[in-house]
Amino acid sequence: MVTQAPRVGVLALQGGVREHETVLRRLGADVVLVRRPEHLEGLEAIVLPGGESSAIDKLMRIFGIREPLQQLIASGLPTLGTCAGLILLADAIHDAAPGQLQLGGLDVVVRRNAFGAQNQSFEVDLDAPEISEEPVHAVFIRGPLVESVGEQAHVIAALDDGRVVAVGQGNIIGLSFHPEVAGEGRFHAKLIELTVARRSSAT
């Protein structure tokens, strides 16, 4: 029996969309670029990319995506948020822009732009046993920092100095960094794994 490709959305209002699309297609996903509420219909997972979190928040509200997306994530839609996506998924933002709202879902507090300016970007291999036995590659570009992790969330990966840069909670994975920039696909593969598991539980 042929298994239908997982239908994975990438929020495509602003930020690094194409790199995520490329990784997901390489993994065999049916990718939908999400710009309007109707694009959410039938999705089995979604990726919230990097970019400017306050701009993405405003655009989600303008295009009427914020509330239906928030409901889908709360109902168990497998979700991967990178950089700005992590900020949107955090239950609390330490230094939110005026009027900025978040989707929530991750019991964490994050601080925006904690890793400095764009010219202070760096790359590192991280141990993330939940994702892979081998180290995963992370690219940090003005990334947020997870300042605290609540009881409902858990740490997936941290830097050598203990700073938390990847967290999970049920159907949600949030990353301070950009795996997609270097073509690192193991977090996306985990997202698809969550999608397949959700399919199985629904049958």
Side-chain angles (χ1 to χ4, degrees), residues 27-177:
L27 294 170
D30 174 17
V31 180
V32 178
L33 300 182
V34 176
R35 296 188 176 97
R36 298 188 179 279
E38 55 265 31
H39 298 156
L40 296 169
E41 296 176 9
L43 290 187
E44 296 181 278
I46 193 163
V47 174
L48 310 182
E52 175 48 57
S53 60
S54 58
I56 296 173
D57 166 48
K58 289 177 183 177
L59 290 168
M60 282 196 298
R61 286 187 270 172
I62 289 170
F63 288 100
I65 292 176
R66 183 181 177 276
E67 289 188 4
L69 177 56
Q70 187 176 40
Q71 291 169 5
L72 283 173
I73 295 171
S75 70
L77 183 73
T79 303
L80 171 65
T82 62
C83 201
L86 166 62
I87 296 170
L88 293 167
L89 291 167
D91 283 345
I93 306 172
H94 179 77
D95 54 350
Q100 182 173 357
L101 300 176
Q102 56 264 42
L103 295 166
L106 278 173
D107 184 15
V108 298
V109 179
V110 301
R111 179 161 52 93
R112 299 187 309 153
N113 301 335
F115 288 96
Q118 189 150 341
N119 62 5
Q120 295 174 294
S121 302
F122 65 98
E123 301 182 30
V124 67
D125 287 334
L126 298 170
D127 290 326
E130 181 179 330
I131 303 299
S132 175
E133 293 180 0
E134 299 297 323
V136 294
H137 196 64
V139 179
F140 287 83
I141 306 171
R142 296 178 63 234
L145 177 65
V146 179
E147 293 204 322
S148 65
V149 181
E151 293 183 358
Q152 297 182 66
H154 66 277
V155 177
I156 293 176
L159 296 174
D160 288 342
D161 61 10
R163 288 180 292 175
V164 175
V165 294
V167 290
Q169 183 175 329
N171 56 301
I172 303 172
I173 300 170
L175 311 176
S176 296
F177 49 88

